[in-house]
Amino acid sequence: MQKIIAINAGSSSLKFKLFEMPEEKVIAKGLFDRIGLDEGKIKIKYNKTKSFEKAEHIENHATAVKKLLDLLLELDIIKEYAEITGVGHRVVAGGEFFKKSVVINTKVMRQINELAEYAPIHNPANLMGIKAFKKILPKAIAVAVFDTSFHQTMPKTNFLFSVPYEWYHNYGVRRYGAHGTSHRYVARVAARMMERPLKELKLITCHLGAGASICAVKNGKSFDTSMGFTPLTGITMGTRSGDTDVAMISFMMQKLKMHSMPEIIYDLNKKSGLLGISGISSDMRDIEEKKATNERAQLAEDIFVKDVVKYIGAYTAEMGGLDGIVFTAGIGENSARVRELVMKRLAYMGITIDQEKNKLRGQAEFVSSLDSKVAVMMIPTDEELMIARDVQTLADKSKEVYSKIHAG
Ligand code: AMP
C-alpha cells in the first residue's frame, strides 16, 4: 500500500488529493488559497466526514507545501512524510515535448519552464509546486501530468490552423487542446460502462464546466478537440467567448479605445461567454434560474446548447460515426436540463433519453434509454485519480527497470 498525492498548483492556490493506492481510496483533500496574499485560507477534508479550516497568511508555495505536510501529520492522516511515495503534478502546457505523463527530472523542469510562453500564468505556478515538493519530499517519485498530452495524437489535419505553415513550424502555433486528463479519464470509464474495448469506439466527450471543451475520441485516442492554441476557442464557456472572428479584435479595440491586446483578450477571456451574452452571470445555475424572465439568459443557454450540438455533429462527421457521448464537469454532471436539451436536438441520430436516469446525480450512469442508437452517459470526472494512477504506473515501471538493472 502506498500514498500518492495529486497536486494542482495555481498562481495563488494549491489543491491536493491524497490517495491510498492501489485501492484508489481518497484519504484527504483540500485547498490552500490566496497564497502570497493577505488572508490566506486552508481547507482540508479527511476521514470521509472530518474537516479542518484555518485562515492564516501563506507566504509562498514552499510554505504551503510545508504547512500541508505538517497538517497531514497533525491531523493524523499520515505518521511521517516518507509515507507519501509519489507526487503527481498537473501541468497545463506540455507543448509537443510531452505526449505522455513523465517522471520529473531537471530536464523536464527546464522544458516546463520553456513552455511557459504557451501558458504564462499556469506553467510557472505548476513549476513552483513541483519545486516545493521536490525540496521537502526528495525521495518521492514526482510525475508531471499534462493537460495537453492526451491531444498529442491528433492528426495534422485536425491540429493545424489554416495560417502560414511557418507559424507552426517556427513558432509552434497549433491546436494543443486542454482538459486532456479529464477527456482521457471519462473515455476509459465510458468504454468500461459500454463493455466494449476503448480501441473500437468512437466517442465524443463533453467536458462542460466553467471552462468547457469537447473531444472526439477515436479508437481511444484524441482525434480532435475544441480548444485551440489556448483554452479561449471552441464552445461558449462561463466567461470565455469560444470561437470568434479574430478580425473583430482590431475593430473593437478602436471602438472601445483600447491601446493594448491584453485588454481585449481579457474581455474575451473574462467578460464573454454565458456572462457576456446574459449580462447576469457566468454560472449555468443562475442562467437556468433567470431564463424564464430574462431573454438574454435564455439566449445564453440556447447558444451554449447549440455549440455543444454543433461540435457533436461536426465530430461525428469527422470520425465517420458515433458510439457514445459523455457529459462531464460542473454543467455536464449536474445540469439534467442541458443534457436533455442537447439530446433532444440529437434525436435525428436516433438518440433517446431515459428521463428518470437523466435526473440522477453523483454516479456514472447511462442517461440515454436502452433503444438509443448512441449511448449517452453522465460520468463524474476525476482528474486527480487519473494523475494518481499515472504516478503509480510510472513508479511501478521505474521499480521494474531498477530491479532489472540490479538483477543483471
Ligand atoms: P467546473 O468548472 O467543472 O467546476 O464547473 C463549474 C460550473 O458548473 C459552474 O460555473 C456552473 O455553471 C456549473 N454547475 C454546477 N452545478 C450546476 C447545476 N446544479 N446546474 C447547472 N450548472 C451547474
Side-chain angles (χ1 to χ4, degrees):
M1 189 166 56
Q2 46 184 323
K3 291 191 175 76
I4 289 176
I5 193 162
I7 298 296
N8 184 353
S11 54
S12 62
S13 68
L14 190 137
K15 276 191 223 155
F16 76 93
K17 226 179 202 183
L18 181 65
F19 291 89
E20 220 158 60
M21 300 293 277
E23 294 78 4
E24 304 191 340
K25 187 174 143 202
V26 180
I27 44 180
K29 61 180 179 179
L31 169 71
F32 284 65
D33 208 5
R34 300 185 58 82
I35 298 174
L37 306 168
D38 41 305
E39 294 175 33
K41 273 200 183 120
I42 304 172
K43 282 185 191 166
I44 299 181
K45 286 192 171 162
Y46 61 110
N47 285 359
K48 284 187 183 156
T49 53
K50 292 188 179 166
S51 62
F52 170 91
E53 268 190 47
K54 195 175 182 189
E56 86 173 55
H57 180 62
I58 313 161
E59 210 175 319
N60 53 40
H61 285 72
T63 32
V65 171
K66 175 89 174 73
K67 272 187 212 288
L68 162 60
L69 291 169
D70 287 343
L71 277 169
L72 293 178
L73 286 174
E74 247 172 65
L75 300 171
D76 215 17
I77 300 165
I78 56 171
K79 299 265 181 276
E80 52 177 349
Y81 285 2
E83 274 180 41
I84 300 173
T85 53
V87 187
H89 296 271
R90 173 196 180 214
V91 179
V92 166
E96 290 192 335
F97 284 143
F98 299 108
K99 301 189 188 310
K100 282 187 182 156
S101 302
V102 290
V103 176
I104 302 171
N105 54 27
T106 321
K107 186 177 166 207
V108 169
M109 282 163 68
R110 201 176 55 239
Q111 285 168 322
I112 293 173
N113 188 40
E114 278 169 30
L115 290 164
E117 63 176 342
Y118 296 108
I121 298 172
H122 291 101
N123 269 33
N126 303 151
L127 207 48
M128 280 195 273
I130 292 172
K131 285 181 180 162
F133 269 96
K134 279 251 175 210
K135 204 167 161 192
I136 201 158
L137 292 180
K139 288 202 175 128
I141 185 169
V143 168
V145 180
F146 301 89
D147 276 14
T148 49
S149 54
F150 181 57
H151 302 301
Q152 280 294 302
T153 50
M154 281 191 286
K156 238 180 195 171
T157 43
N158 296 349
F159 76 65
L160 274 187
F161 296 120
S162 304
V163 293
Y165 191 83
E166 293 70 30
W167 293 14
Y168 166 61
H169 188 262
N170 297 341
Y171 306 107
V173 168
R174 51 160 286 176
R175 181 184 304 284
Y176 288 104
H179 297 141
T181 313
S182 175
H183 291 295
R184 179 159 64 107
Y185 174 78
V186 296
R188 284 176 188 204
V189 178
R192 225 178 302 134
M193 287 170 73
M194 294 169 78
E195 296 179 1
R196 286 183 60 190
L198 185 55
K199 280 192 173 152
E200 285 175 10
L201 291 173
K202 290 171 180 151
L203 300 172
I204 294 177
T205 50
C206 307
H207 179 109
L208 310 178
S213 70
I214 299 193
C215 184
V217 185
K218 190 177 176 190
N219 310 128
K221 292 178 179 168
S222 172
F223 181 68
D224 205 349
T225 194
S226 60
M227 281 181 169
F229 180 63
T230 74
L232 185 51
T233 52
I235 67 168
T236 301
M237 302 176 221
T239 59
R240 293 190 200 122
S241 63
D243 299 331
T244 51
D245 180 348
V246 290
M248 78 177 171
I249 287 184
S250 62
F251 176 83
M252 281 314 297
M253 281 178 73
Q254 276 177 16
K255 294 286 176 200
L256 299 174
K257 302 197 175 9
M258 287 177 170
H259 301 292
S260 69
M261 281 296 283
E263 282 178 85
I264 193 146
I265 297 290
Y266 181 87
D267 282 6
L268 291 170
N269 265 310
K270 300 281 185 194
K271 294 187 180 174
S272 302
L274 296 176
L275 174 64
I277 301 162
S278 70
I280 300 173
S281 172
S282 62
D283 193 310
M284 188 56 91
R285 283 167 289 203
D286 300 332
I287 301 291
E288 288 181 354
E289 197 189 306
K290 305 271 165 56
K291 67 179 183 338
T293 52
N294 187 304
E295 217 175 286
R296 278 172 55 187
Q298 181 63 66
L299 195 56
E301 184 187 78
D302 290 345
I303 292 176
F304 185 83
V305 169
K306 177 269 298 174
D307 275 0
V308 177
V309 168
K310 184 168 95 174
Y311 268 93
I312 291 176
Y315 288 166
T316 304
E318 274 185 39
M319 290 194 287
L322 182 62
D323 300 301
I325 296 174
V326 178
F327 288 102
T328 192
I331 301 171
E333 290 169 31
N334 297 303
S335 177
R337 181 176 164 81
V338 166
R339 289 195 300 262
E340 180 175 344
L341 290 170
V342 172
M343 283 191 275
K344 278 191 170 156
R345 301 242 336 232
L346 298 175
Y348 75 93
M349 289 181 166
I351 289 180
T352 48
I353 312 171
D354 184 324
Q355 291 290 358
E356 286 314 304
K357 284 193 175 167
N358 191 40
K359 285 185 198 138
L360 301 174
R361 273 160 87 166
Q363 266 198 324
E365 194 52 87
F366 284 97
V367 293
S368 53
S369 45
L370 277 174
D371 58 351
S372 183
K373 293 267 188 306
V374 175
V376 186
M377 290 151 277
M378 184 284 276
I379 301 176
T381 194
D382 199 338
E383 286 154 288
E384 295 86 0
L385 176 58
M386 199 75 240
I387 291 174
R389 283 181 185 167
D390 282 358
V391 175
Q392 195 180 16
T393 308
L394 287 168
D396 292 348
K397 257 192 207 159
S398 17
K399 261 184 230 150
E400 235 175 73
V401 173
Y402 183 86
S403 49
K404 262 187 202 159
I405 292 170
H406 286 266

